[in-house]
Amino acid sequence: MAVSGLLMLGYLVAHVAGNLKVFFGPEEFNAYGHWLRVMGAPVLHHEWALWLVRIVLLAAVVAHAVSAYQLSRRDVRARPTAYVHRRKRSSYATRTMRWGGIILALFIVWHVLDLTTGTVHPGGFEEGKPYQNVVDTFSTWYGNVIYIVAMLAVGLHVRHGFWSAAQTLGVGNARRERLLRGLANGLALVLTAGFISVPVAVMTGVVG
Ligand code: HEM
C-alpha cells in the first residue's frame, strides 16, 4: 500500500505542477501537453515514455486496490464475530479511506474518458488542445461538481494515506512524527488547492 501510494503521490505532485501551467495561457499549456508525448526523444519513440508512465501508474493502482482488499479481509478475519454492542467495526479514518478510494477510482476512469480520450467530453474534444478541453470541461456545472468533489477526496485520502505510509515505513521518534503529520497536511492542502484552482479559474473567467 505504502509504496504504490507514494508512487501515485509523486505523480500527483508532478500533475498539479503541470496543471498550473494553464495560468500561463494556451500556448504554454498545449506545449506542455505536447512535451508529454515527446518525452525522452530522440532516444525514445513518440509516446513511449508516456506509455511507460501509464503502465507504471496502472500497476500502482491495481497493487494499491489489491492490498486494500487484502488488508480489509485480514481485518475481518482477525475479528470474525460481530461486536455485542452495535459498534461500527471500522474507524472513521478507515471508512473515509475506503469510500475515498472508490470515489477516486471512479474519478480516474471519468477523467481519462473526459480529457484523454474525449469520450465523455462536453463539446468538441480536440486532441493536442488540452487548454481548450479543460476550459470546456469546467464550463459545465457537472464538470465542476465531479472534479471539485474528487479533489476534496484526493486531499482527505493523501492526508491520511501519507501518514499511514510513514507509519508502515517507520516514523521514528515523536519529533519526526510531528513533522510527518505536518507534511501530510501540507501536501494534502497544496494538492487540493492547486487542483481546485483550475476549475475555479475557469468559472471566474481568469482562464478561458
Ligand atoms: C482539476 C484537476 C485536474 C485537471 C484539470 C486535470 C487535467 C488533466 C489533463 C488536461 C490531462 C490530459 C493531458 C494530456 O493528455 O495532454 C490529464 C491526464 C491525466 N490525469 Fe489529470 N487533471 C486533474 C486531476 C487529476 C487527478 C486528481 C488525478 C489522479 C487521481 C489525475 C490523473 C490523471 C491521469 C492518470 C492522466 C493521464 C491519462 C493518460 O494520458 O493516460 N488527474 N489530466
Side-chain angles (χ1 to χ4, degrees), residues 113-198:
L113 292 175
D114 177 22
L115 288 172
T116 300
T117 64
T119 321
V120 297
H121 188 70
F125 178 82
E126 269 192 273
E127 220 170 319
K129 298 263 166 62
Y131 184 90
Q132 194 53 47
N133 295 335
V134 165
V135 170
D136 290 345
T137 288
F138 298 128
S139 300
T140 63
W141 67 267
Y142 62 87
N144 289 308
V145 170
I146 293 172
Y147 278 77
I148 291 174
V149 168
M151 294 319 111
L152 294 173
V154 166
L156 287 174
H157 208 78
V158 164
R159 184 168 175 255
H160 183 76
F162 183 81
W163 171 239
S164 302
Q167 279 180 318
T168 303
L169 302 174
V171 174
N173 53 38
R175 211 168 68 98
R176 215 184 296 163
E177 180 176 323
R178 260 201 312 280
L179 191 81
L180 282 165
R181 269 202 191 281
L183 200 60
N185 290 341
L187 262 172
L189 201 70
V190 166
L191 285 176
T192 305
F195 278 126
I196 287 185
S197 71
V198 180

Side-chain angles (χ1 to χ4, degrees), residues 59-110:
V61 171
V62 171
H64 208 67
V66 169
S67 319
Y69 178 75
Q70 286 172 343
L71 270 176
S72 94
R73 294 302 305 160
R74 200 195 291 173
D75 189 23
V76 172
R77 269 202 305 274
R79 172 82 204 196
T81 48
Y83 289 111
V84 175
H85 298 288
R86 288 182 176 273
R87 200 173 71 180
K88 290 223 165 57
R89 59 174 309 130
S90 52
S91 69
Y92 170 75
T94 307
R95 274 177 283 132
T96 313
M97 291 309 275
R98 278 182 198 161
W99 280 107
I102 291 166
I103 290 173
L104 288 177
L106 291 174
F107 165 75
I108 292 169
V109 173
W110 177 268

